[in-house]
Amino acid sequence: MKPVPFDYVQAQSTEEALACLKDSDRNVRVLAGGQSLVAMLNLRLVRPNLLVDISQIESLSTIRQSKDILEIGAAVTQAELKQWPGLAESVPQLSMALPFVGHFQTRNKGTVCGSLAHADPSSELPLCLAALNGSVVLQSARRSRVLNAAEFQTGMLSTACQPDEMIVAARYPISREGDGFAFREVARRHGDFAIVALAAFVTESKIRLGIGGLASRPSVREWDILSEQELDEALNAFAWQLKGSDDIHATARYRRELVRRLGRQVIEEAKSARTKE
Amino acid sequence: MRELKSDRQHKITFTLDGRQVSGDAEPHLLLSDFLREKLGVTSVHVGCEHGVCGTCTVHIDGKAVRACLTFAVQVGNRRVDTVESLSNNEGELNDLQSAFRKHHALQCGFCTPGILMSVEHYLRHNSDPTESDVRDMLSGHLCRCTGYVGMVRAIMETAAKRKSGI
C-alpha cells in the first residue's frame, strides 16, 4: 500500500503545470486534492514518473459566477464549493449532491474537477455535470478546448483528456426560473460509492434524468413532459438499457427497480421544486 | 519551478503541534508514514491507507484531512496538528477527550485519534449539530469495537458545553 517512487513538482502557475505535461517521455499525473489519485497511487493502480501538484495555484482556486454558468477552478475543494454562499440558488443540484460526495474529511481536500477527472461511474459530481449538461475546460500548452459532459467522460475511469492536457475548470449551468431539481442516492453507508444515484432536472417542457452507478458512465435521458403511464414505460426502458450487473452490493434486478421507483420519485420531487415563473 | 527527484531525500520544515520541526522525505513518502517513522509521532495511526478508515486524520492548516492521502512534501511551511495537540503540556485531556472517556466512546483506541481530530474541526464550524449531523460526520471513520453510540453522546455533550461556554 505504498506508491511507486516518482518525481514531484509543486506548480506555482497553470503555465508551469502545463509545461510539465508537455513532456511526452514521462507518465505525468496531475495532483489536486488527491482523494482519488493518492488512493490509486497507494494501490499502485497508477504508476507515474512525475506528479504535478496544482493545489497551490491561486488562479485555479476561484469560483466565478456569470449569467449562465458557475465556473469552478481546478483547485477548488468540494468543501469550498459546498460552503459557497448562493450555491443553493445558483446550482441547486450541486448543493443537493455535495453532501453525498465522500465524507466531511475527504471533501476538505478533494476537488470538484478532480472528481470529474477520476470519472468514477458512481460518483455524484460527474452525474450532475451530465444531468445539467455542463462542461469541462481542458487546457494544454498549445490549445484550450471546452467539452460537454457527454464528450468528456468516455467510460469507466476514462475521459477525453489527453496526456498533455489538464482540466482547468468545470462549468455547471446556472438554474433558470421555472427549473426544478432533485437528487437521490442509495448506498449501504452514507458517503460510500452509490449503488444507484439519480439526478432529475425538470423545466416547463422537458424532463432530464441522469443515473449513476449502473452503466460505465453517467447516463442521461431527456423526455418531453409525459403522462404517468408513459413515464413508467420510459423509466422501465431506461432501467433495462443501462444493463446493470450483479455485484456484492446489489443485484441488477434491484438496481433496475431503484431506477423505476426512485426515478419516478425524483422527477416528481423536481417538478414540485420548480420555481414560479 | 523546483522538481523534487524521486531518489533523493528532501528537507521538509513545517509546524507540528505548535513546534517547528523538520525531516527528510522522498516525494512518494506519505504524510502518515513521515510522521510516524521519521518524526516518531505514533499517535497518527495507519489503517487502510486509501482514505476509507479515517484513523490517520490530522489537521493541515486547521482542516481535518487524511494523512495517508497526502505526501510529506506537500506540508512544507504549513501547519500540521495531531491528536497530541489536544491535551496540554501536563497531559491533561481536553473537554472532548474527557467526554470520550466518560461516555466509553472508545475501546481499543485505534480509531480514536483520527475521530478526535475530525470532531475538533467539525465543531469549530458546526457549534450546534444535530445527532444526525454528527453521525453523518462520523461516517468518515470506521470503529470496529465499541460502536458509535458513546461517541455521539460524547460529541453532543461537548458541543452543548462549548456552546454554553462551560
Side-chain angles (χ1 to χ4, degrees), chain A:
Chain A
M1 296 295 284
K2 310 290 178 196
V4 297
F6 48 75
D7 300 331
Y8 170 90
V9 165
Q10 189 160 84
Q12 302 302 320
S13 67
T14 308
E15 291 67 36
E16 267 187 22
L18 294 174
C20 295
L21 289 169
K22 228 165 51 178
D23 185 352
S24 56
D25 294 339
R26 297 206 281 183
N27 179 4
V28 188
R29 293 300 287 252
V30 175
L31 172 68
Q35 300 304 286
S36 304
L37 179 61
V38 183
M40 303 276 279
L41 289 167
N42 289 357
L43 294 162
R44 298 206 175 186
L45 294 170
V46 181
R47 295 159 174 262
N49 308 113
L50 171 65
L51 216 54
V52 183
D53 186 346
I54 62 163
S55 63
Q56 304 303 311
I57 300 179
E58 253 174 60
S59 61
L60 297 179
S61 312
T62 52
I63 301 172
R64 279 194 212 96
Q65 179 167 354
S66 63
K67 191 170 152 280
D68 298 321
I69 50 171
L70 188 70
E71 187 169 287
I72 301 151
V76 174
T77 65
Q78 294 146 6
E80 284 162 352
L81 181 63
K82 188 166 176 280
Q83 287 150 14
W84 191 70
L87 184 68
E89 284 99 75
S90 303
V91 191
Q93 198 160 69
L94 277 182
S95 104
M96 295 168 185
L98 276 164
F100 292 96
V101 179
H103 302 280
F104 164 72
Q105 300 82 358
T106 59
R107 291 193 295 266
N108 283 333
K109 206 153 176 285
T111 62
V112 175
C113 291
S115 187
L116 299 177
H118 183 57
D120 189 287
S122 61
S123 67
E124 298 82 4
L125 294 167
L127 171 61
C128 292
L129 194 79
L132 301 175
N133 199 20
S135 56
V136 163
V137 186
L138 293 171
Q139 207 174 317
S140 70
R142 58 196 169 89
R143 66 169 175 176
S144 170
R145 58 186 181 134
V146 179
L147 297 184
N148 68 32
E151 294 164 334
F152 175 71
Q153 187 166 350
T154 51
M156 186 186 293
L157 308 183
S158 55
T159 70
C161 187
Q162 295 302 303
D164 65 339
E165 286 179 316
M166 68 176 217
I167 302 181
V168 288
R171 292 178 175 172
Y172 284 87
I174 300 278
S175 161
R176 292 187 210 170
E177 275 199 2
D179 290 351
F181 304 90
F183 188 88
R184 260 319 170 85
E185 179 169 314
V186 177
R188 287 279 176 228
R189 196 175 57 125
H190 185 94
D192 279 358
F193 289 109
I195 292 171
V196 170
L198 307 97
F201 167 27
V202 177
T203 67
E204 193 183 6
S205 56
K206 297 263 186 234
I207 299 169
R208 266 176 85 87
L209 179 67
I211 304 280
L214 258 160
S216 62
R217 58 177 185 156
S219 314
V220 181
R221 292 287 182 280
E222 188 173 303
W223 303 292
D224 296 330
I225 296 294
L226 302 169
S227 72
E228 300 238 326
Q229 200 196 337
E230 286 168 334
L231 182 59
D232 283 340
E233 282 163 16
L235 285 168
N236 184 45
F238 191 12
W240 282 101
Q241 285 156 8
L242 289 166
K243 295 188 172 44
S245 51
D246 295 348
D247 63 24
I248 56 164
H249 302 293
T251 60
R253 185 178 169 195
Y254 178 64
R255 289 187 157 98
R256 286 193 297 273
E257 194 61 11
L258 289 175
V259 173
R260 287 188 285 254
R261 303 246 175 157
L262 296 184
R264 173 111 207 191
Q265 286 180 25
V266 285
I267 289 168
E268 292 306 324
E269 225 175 281
K271 274 186 188 164
S272 53
R274 281 185 59 215
T275 48
K276 298 266 174 340
E277 283 170 74

Side-chain angles (χ1 to χ4, degrees), chain A residues 6-8 26, chain B residues 3-10 25-27:
Chain A
F6 48 75
D7 300 331
Y8 170 90
R26 297 206 281 183
Chain B
E3 186 170 315
L4 306 180
K5 287 290 175 191
S6 65
D7 52 356
R8 299 261 178 80
Q9 299 281 335
H10 305 276
E26 292 169 329

Side-chain angles (χ1 to χ4, degrees), chain B residues 9 23 28 33 42 52 63 94 96 111 115 148-149:
Chain B
Q9 299 281 335
H28 69 285
D33 291 332
T42 49
V52 176
K63 289 181 184 165
N94 83 352
L96 177 68
C111 64
I115 292 176
Y148 302 88
V149 174

